[in-house]
Amino acid sequence: MNRAKTTPASPTGANSARNAIVYNTDFAVSGRPVNPDLLSVIRLIRQRHESVLQATRSPSNSESLARSLVSLRLAENALQKGELLARHPDHPIQIAVIGPTQVGKSSVTNVLLGTDMARVSPLAGFTVHPQGFALGTGDTAWAAAYFGQSATPLDQLSADRYDAYALTDAGGAGHELAPAVVWDTPDFDSVDADDYRAGVLRTVALADVVLLVVSKDKYADQTVWDTMRLLEPLGQPTAICLNKVPDESAAALSRSLEEKWRSVRKDVPAPVVVLPYLEKGPGALVAARNALDGVLRRCIARVHRESQGAHCQELLRRHWSAWTAPARVEHAALAEWRRHVEEATEAGLAVYQRDFLDHPQHYETFQRALAELLTLLEIPGVARALLTARSIVTWPVRQLSRLGRSLSGHKGEAGQEIAVLRQAVDHLLLQLGETALERSEEAGAMRDWWQEVAQLLRREQRLQADRSYAAIAAYHRAFQPEIEHTARQLYDRLREHPAILNSLRATRLTTDAAALAVALHTGGIGVQDFVLAPAILSLTSLLAESALGHYLSRAEAELKQRQRQQVTELLGREPGLALARLPERLRSEGRFQLPEPALQSVESEIFSHA
């Protein structure tokens, strides 16, 4: 349920109208409580803008970042105002007096207060801290909650620190505007305004009502209307004080102000109060104060804090694209890089497919499975000729098989596949290096990013290659059970056909076949020599021409499919995954590096009820 606050009754008749003003204090984004993740992401975006702005050397980029930083600070503060409304729903009405330099903001503040409490100086940039003057208010815990620190006494504010603020009790329990806080703010257009603009934005985001003070010389300044355009989404009731204006110019300047307003904003133009030069005497001062009080009371009557969340959401929507555009460019570059990694990995896999799996002379894995099959055929009770063949070597065949499998680097057995995979990795790294270099030579916002990627890849190319070579060797060793599994399947199928099995055993009993199997397992001959040997040709011919011929082809295809699948995973993991994540290690200076999921979550939050 929305809470409402009504000001206490005042004994004065002048306050009777104020007594009827009711304003709501619930704050939500589109009717929902403020999402703390929303504030944290906006704060992160603001911090990254500050960091990148400090690091950038491009004048045009600096200007764009500075503009976005202003609106980001305002949005962050507006979200913090939402938190304040949730924790301190009854804090008093806040009136922010804003304007460019030397238009008399402090003087107008004193007119509102009815006393000279705001310090006045003819020097530009004299006020550099938000200075609040509380009229008829008591507890000020809300101020410390919003500003994150206690107020500093007005006479102790130091120009060396811009993160301070003052909050002074101005009495005024019977004041026309009480209970309220009137804020005198620094200018937003002087040479040094960038140093203390954060305080202006902090105060204007806190404001329920805005009083823009301009002069005859300043009312048309671009900074004035840039500020008014910036504040429009917040929907704050606004009045304009046209200060230091001769009587004869008042009407024309008021019309000009209305035209300016309509040119930059879509809402109804703010009412204009003209203040003449105050040297005219006390009567003019009283009239000016009454006029300002009257227009501000009408503004206060239009305050509806329950709608402030929707206004804040509109501010986020209006600037979201500009805030996130640089990060989106980085995301696009990272996505492009990862696409290049995927393409290079696919190209490396194509090299492996062409030069090994599909190569009639190079593909050797199934022949190794046939050698394992020969080993499986060595069962007790075989003919004495096999024992004679075994006596040629020093170890039993099965012991030699284990030794042979450990010699995976031998060029005659495992060397061909390893050589082709190394070639695929080298091709992949070379292709990516050329791509990064080409992109770094193109003009564009991400040129430096691509240069850093190219340099980092060049520095680590040897390391990436060595890691990939080690992964290739590990894969090759780990694939041996797949070969044995294929041999076991062939053997089991042979056992279902005794006639063929007996024929194979007869072939296996020749001294040449036994010796060839031992030599292959021990690395004594290469796979090609093994395949072309007459005894092995006889074996493969017998299998191919038998009832198992179709199964033999299928077993080879399935083995090759498993091999391709594991190599695909291998190249995707090492070097693919390592290379895809390479840009994550770029230096953070000058980079937004905003997590895309967080941006997508916030984007969904602020546009869900657009």
Side-chain angles (χ1 to χ4, degrees), residues 271-282:
V272 178
V273 177
V274 179
L275 290 189
Y277 286 99
L278 299 183
E279 288 80 357
K280 290 188 173 182

Side-chain angles (χ1 to χ4, degrees), residues 211-421:
L211 177 61
L212 171 66
V213 180
V214 291
S215 65
K216 179 181 178 182
D217 298 327
K218 292 280 188 175
Y219 80 96
D221 283 8
Q222 187 63 39
T223 55
V224 172
W225 298 104
D226 286 345
T227 300
M228 299 316 296
R229 182 186 292 110
L230 175 67
L231 297 182
E232 181 182 8
L234 293 181
Q236 297 154 310
T238 301
I240 300 176
C241 177
L242 187 54
N243 194 25
K244 305 178 183 179
V245 176
D247 294 340
E248 62 273 15
S249 303
L253 290 178
S254 295
R255 287 193 299 271
S256 183
L257 279 170
E258 182 175 338
E259 292 173 1
K260 279 286 189 182
W261 184 282
R262 293 186 185 278
S263 70
V264 300
R265 293 179 57 149
K266 297 179 181 178
D267 53 345
V268 176
V272 178
V273 177
V274 179
L275 290 189
Y277 286 99
L278 299 183
E279 288 80 357
K280 290 188 173 182
L285 179 61
V286 171
R289 176 183 170 186
N290 289 338
L292 281 174
D293 283 350
V295 75
L296 289 177
R297 285 200 305 274
R298 290 191 292 274
C299 286
I300 292 172
R302 291 165 46 212
V303 171
H304 299 286
R305 284 177 169 174
E306 78 281 1
S307 65
Q308 191 161 349
H311 289 304
C312 184
Q313 189 178 31
E314 175 59 28
L315 175 65
L316 300 178
R317 284 197 295 263
R318 182 170 297 191
H319 296 281
W320 181 254
S321 178
W323 294 340
T324 59
R328 300 292 189 192
V329 172
E330 285 186 4
H331 294 162
L334 180 58
E336 180 185 348
W337 166 254
R338 289 175 174 169
R339 186 171 64 251
H340 288 309
V341 171
E342 291 178 1
E343 292 171 353
T345 303
E346 288 293 331
L349 186 61
V351 169
Y352 174 72
Q353 182 79 42
R354 181 195 66 206
D355 293 348
F356 184 71
L357 294 181
D358 294 342
H359 198 285
Q361 284 80 44
H362 292 169
Y363 185 66
E364 60 194 17
T365 310
F366 192 66
Q367 309 309 324
R368 292 165 60 199
L370 291 179
E372 292 291 340
L373 176 61
L374 288 174
T375 302
L376 291 173
L377 291 174
E378 297 177 46
I379 57 177
V382 295
R384 187 177 300 276
L386 181 56
L387 297 177
T388 303
R390 284 180 175 174
S391 66
I392 299 174
V393 296
T394 57
W395 278 331
V397 172
R398 292 192 182 279
Q399 182 66 27
L400 292 173
S401 296
R402 286 191 286 271
L403 175 62
R405 286 194 289 271
S406 70
L407 300 175
S408 59
H410 190 282
K411 67 178 181 179
E413 182 182 354
Q416 188 61 49
E417 183 180 22
I418 288 179
V420 170
L421 283 174

Side-chain angles (χ1 to χ4, degrees), residues 60-79:
S60 59
N61 194 32
S62 296
E63 183 178 349
S64 174
L65 290 170
R67 284 197 303 269
S68 290
L69 191 55
V70 170
S71 54
L72 273 167
R73 286 170 173 163
L74 179 65
E76 180 183 356
N77 294 329
L79 288 170

Side-chain angles (χ1 to χ4, degrees), residues 447-510:
R447 179 177 180 177
D448 292 345
W449 189 91
W450 284 104
Q451 285 179 341
E452 286 193 47
V453 170
Q455 292 168 1
L456 184 57
L457 180 59
R458 186 165 53 248
R459 290 196 302 268
E460 297 198 356
Q461 187 166 349
R462 185 70 265 159
L463 176 62
Q464 293 291 345
D466 289 343
R467 287 177 176 173
S468 299
Y469 294 166
I472 289 169
Y475 144 76
H476 198 275
R477 290 190 298 271
F479 195 75
Q480 180 63 30
E482 296 286 349
I483 298 172
E484 294 174 353
H485 176 70
T486 298
R488 172 61 64 180
Q489 286 182 317
L490 288 171
Y491 180 67
D492 290 343
R493 185 57 63 96
L494 281 170
R495 293 176 63 186
E496 298 174 5
H497 298 78
I500 301 174
L501 179 59
N502 290 334
S503 298
L504 288 177
R505 283 172 173 167
T507 302
R508 178 68 180 89
L509 293 179
T510 65

Side-chain angles (χ1 to χ4, degrees), residues 506-534:
T507 302
R508 178 68 180 89
L509 293 179
T510 65
T511 302
D512 288 344
L516 285 168
V518 172
L520 177 65
H521 280 297
T522 59
I525 63 170
V527 173
Q528 294 305 315
D529 294 332
F530 174 80
V531 172
L532 297 176

